[in-house]
Amino acid sequence: DMNRKQCAKGSRIISIAGYDAAQSPAGASICRKLGAEIERALPEATSKVWHRAPVWFVGETPVVGYNVAAKGHVVLLFWNGQAFGDPALEPIGKFKAAQARFADVSEIKVAPVRRWLKKAGTEIWDVSAIRRMRARAMKRK
């Protein structure tokens, strides 16, 4: 089961299930619901706790993840979410990421989440192109 995959952080072992369990009851239920939807939609993806949050990868490319924000809501992040063309996703950062926020498990509407996850698994950003762009930008400085 991919949710049991673990990574070392210092001397502690952190799993996605462990991340979810460490949240408030409301946050944990949101995390478990999102994790189940991600696993259902992306069965071939690999998952791990990456930069202190659960993330799913297609090949070596991160496509979706979630984290509990300081205010207690859960942020569902799609690395290529701006390409989905869905106004319900909030653009974030300089590249193509977009997110949705949930304060309660009842706010998770399964149909749009499944639509986003389908796109996350197929409309994957070109990591090597972004690395080349960054390298060119650094050379110009």
Side-chain angles (χ1 to χ4, degrees), residues 29-101:
S29 64
I30 296 167
C31 290
R32 285 192 300 270
K33 174 77 171 165
L34 292 174
E37 288 297 331
I38 295 166
E39 290 288 333
R40 180 190 163 283
L42 301 172
E44 302 301 314
T46 57
S47 59
K48 64 183 176 183
V49 175
W50 188 56
H51 296 284
R52 297 190 201 116
V55 177
W56 282 257
F57 296 76
V58 173
E60 293 185 21
T61 304
V63 295
V64 64
Y66 58 79
N67 71 296
V68 177
K71 295 179 181 169
H73 57 266
V74 178
V75 175
L76 179 63
L77 177 73
F78 295 95
W79 268 255
N80 202 25
Q82 290 180 35
F84 302 173
D86 191 322
L89 288 172
E90 172 192 349
I92 184 146
K94 291 185 263 182
F95 294 103
K96 300 227 181 240
Q99 65 185 15
R101 297 171 186 261

Side-chain angles (χ1 to χ4, degrees), residues 71-140:
K71 295 179 181 169
H73 57 266
V74 178
V75 175
L76 179 63
L77 177 73
F78 295 95
W79 268 255
N80 202 25
Q82 290 180 35
F84 302 173
D86 191 322
L89 288 172
E90 172 192 349
I92 184 146
K94 291 185 263 182
F95 294 103
K96 300 227 181 240
Q99 65 185 15
R101 297 171 186 261
F102 305 99
D104 188 87
V105 73
S106 66
E107 294 176 0
I108 299 171
K109 304 297 179 236
V110 173
V113 169
R114 288 181 179 172
R115 186 173 62 247
W116 300 332
L117 287 167
K118 183 175 183 183
K119 290 181 177 192
T122 57
E123 297 179 21
I124 300 167
W125 66 325
D126 183 351
V127 176
S128 57
I130 288 174
R131 286 188 184 128
R132 284 192 302 272
M133 261 184 349
R134 279 189 186 154
R136 274 189 231 115
M138 294 305 284
K139 284 179 186 172
R140 281 188 228 122

